Amino acid sequence: MAVGTVLVTGGTGYIGSFTTLALLDNGYDVVIVDSLLNSSEAALDRIELICDKRPTFYQVDITDEAGLDNVFSKHPEIDSVIHFAALKAVGESGEIPLEYYRVNVGGSITLLRSMAKHNVPNIVFSSSATVYGDATRVPGMIPIPENCPIGPTNTYGHTKVMIETVITDHIEAERRKAKKAGKPFEQWNGALLRYFNPCGAHPTGIMGEDPQGVPYNLLPLLGKVATGERDKLLVFGDDYASKDGTAIRDYIHVLDLASGHLAALNYLREKKPGVKAWNLGSGRGSTVFEMINAFSKVVGRDLPYQVVDRRLGDVLDLTANPALANEELKWKTKLTLEDACADLWRWVENNPKGYRQDPPAELLEKLKASKAVKN
């Protein structure tokens, strides 16, 4: 008997696929909807290889209300949603803002409308630390707590703030409505998970990040430099007020991040808190140069980079204060930056074409052997 059934939007993407794996490993059934715009259906095969369970999959765009209605109608057992589906590149968001608002904000409203029609009350939302903007503008806000004033500096961050607001208004309205009608209302809940820089891959080397276009994030770009697919890494600015002039970010292993989503979902189901925001992060800030050095060490050689101008909307320091999630969700990061670099290198070295190739036989044998030991 499943613990519950969760719809994961964007579930074949990087964080979505790892969260699906965590849910399946912890007794949940999972239904995925994904447009496959920036992901691959092959992620489903990798999930199944690792945990011997396969999520149900529908190729549906988050803006397609009829498509979402169809999925909810076919699966009345769905009681919660974890919502990842979005466009997610900070730089690109400033170039095509209308598309970001259409997909991210419009898609979230479409999802919530469909959930309401089918009486699905719980949503865990994949928000972002970009909602805080430049936290150094407020004294005493680094590392960043959840009560840091909101103030995004780019379109992507603006979409996340809008979605947080829409979710909050929706959940509170549903609670008020049910209460007024004398019905149970505590079942309507939302988690807003603000996180920092996900990185790493599955330690088996069988599952990782596989962006379909040009990756925008530091570690996947470094991976492509290490495999020779790119000549060098572009470092956006070395004139920040940090120890080496490069921007500071809080990197979190994708396995830790996935377990944070599971912890938030369990908290909503058990504690029924209404709407709550939590930071998911390590609390450790690393500069871009520190990341380059850490990954170069794992690869075994220096990786070439070039410093260029700062990127529009980038800020100095996005380091989380995860104390609230540590305390309330009983969750904290377990894996280190070194773990993330080693896991990422194992992934890109063995899967230079990502999901557009079969997993190496040697890794499959190791996975088989580790399963045999467990059993």
Side-chain angles (χ1 to χ4, degrees), residues 281-297:
S282 69
R284 296 181 306 269
S286 305
T287 68
V288 174
F289 282 158
E290 284 174 334
M291 285 302 295
I292 294 171
N293 291 338
F295 194 63
S296 296
K297 198 172 169 186

Side-chain angles (χ1 to χ4, degrees), residues 86-91 93-106 108-109 125-134 137 149-167 194 312-315:
L87 301 174
K88 63 170 192 174
V90 167
S93 74
E95 293 159 16
I96 50 169
L98 291 180
E99 188 63 1
Y100 269 68
Y101 288 115
R102 183 187 77 81
V103 173
N104 294 10
V105 182
S108 299
I109 292 169
F125 173 53
S126 162
S127 191
S128 167
T130 56
V131 301
Y132 298 119
D134 184 3
R137 75 191 188 281
I150 299 296
T153 56
N154 54 64
T155 299
Y156 171 70
H158 285 298
T159 69
K160 292 293 187 182
V161 172
M162 286 183 184
I163 299 161
E164 286 196 3
T165 307
V166 171
I167 288 171
R194 297 170 181 163
L312 178 74
D314 272 351
V315 298

Side-chain angles (χ1 to χ4, degrees), residues 74-339:
K74 280 183 175 168
H75 297 276
E77 69 278 14
I78 293 170
D79 56 34
S80 306
V81 172
I82 302 184
H83 178 34
F84 295 101
L87 301 174
K88 63 170 192 174
V90 167
E92 184 188 56
S93 74
E95 293 159 16
I96 50 169
L98 291 180
E99 188 63 1
Y100 269 68
Y101 288 115
R102 183 187 77 81
V103 173
N104 294 10
V105 182
S108 299
I109 292 169
T110 300
L111 172 67
L112 289 166
R113 281 167 55 89
S114 192
M115 286 172 67
K117 271 185 267 182
H118 296 87
N119 207 30
V120 178
N122 289 319
I123 183 164
V124 175
F125 173 53
S126 162
S127 191
S128 167
T130 56
V131 301
Y132 298 119
D134 184 3
T136 58
R137 75 191 188 281
V138 187
M141 287 291 169
I142 299 290
I144 303 168
E146 287 83 356
N147 65 347
C148 175
I150 299 296
T153 56
N154 54 64
T155 299
Y156 171 70
H158 285 298
T159 69
K160 292 293 187 182
V161 172
M162 286 183 184
I163 299 161
E164 286 196 3
T165 307
V166 171
I167 288 171
T168 303
D169 288 352
H170 167 64
I171 296 296
E172 288 178 354
E174 290 295 339
R175 284 186 153 223
R176 275 195 308 271
K177 232 169 13 185
K179 207 171 181 180
K180 199 174 174 185
K183 293 175 180 171
F185 62 90
E186 294 97 340
Q187 71 273 26
W188 294 95
N189 299 284
L192 313 174
L193 301 183
R194 297 170 181 163
Y195 44 84
F196 293 76
N197 290 59
C199 57
H202 199 272
T204 58
I206 288 198
M207 199 169 144
E209 185 168 13
D210 183 32
Q212 302 300 291
V214 177
Y216 282 85
N217 295 338
L218 176 61
L219 271 167
L221 283 166
L222 274 173
K224 291 199 177 292
V225 173
T227 57
E229 208 176 309
R230 292 177 79 83
D231 295 338
K232 61 192 171 194
L233 177 80
L234 297 181
V235 175
F236 296 104
D238 64 352
D239 56 349
Y240 286 96
S242 66
K243 56 187 161 192
D244 59 24
T246 61
I248 301 161
R249 296 292 178 265
D250 185 342
Y251 293 90
I252 173 171
H253 197 297
V254 68
L255 290 181
D256 282 331
L257 190 52
S259 75
H261 285 77
L262 176 69
L265 176 64
N266 288 338
Y267 189 93
L268 292 191
R269 288 164 57 101
E270 288 162 23
K271 308 281 188 191
K272 301 179 170 39
V275 182
K276 286 213 70 161
W278 288 282
N279 287 338
L280 297 183
S282 69
R284 296 181 306 269
S286 305
T287 68
V288 174
F289 282 158
E290 284 174 334
M291 285 302 295
I292 294 171
N293 291 338
F295 194 63
S296 296
K297 198 172 169 186
V298 168
V299 175
R301 65 178 191 282
D302 289 339
L303 298 173
Y305 64 86
Q306 180 190 345
V307 177
V308 295
D309 289 341
R310 290 186 186 192
R311 205 166 39 175
L312 178 74
D314 272 351
V315 298
L316 162 65
D317 194 334
L318 281 179
T319 304
N321 181 345
L324 192 66
N326 296 165
E327 183 194 333
E328 292 186 344
L329 302 181
K330 306 290 181 264
W331 168 91
K332 60 171 52 170
T333 59
K334 293 176 181 167
L335 297 158
T336 64
L337 193 58
E338 291 70 28
D339 292 326

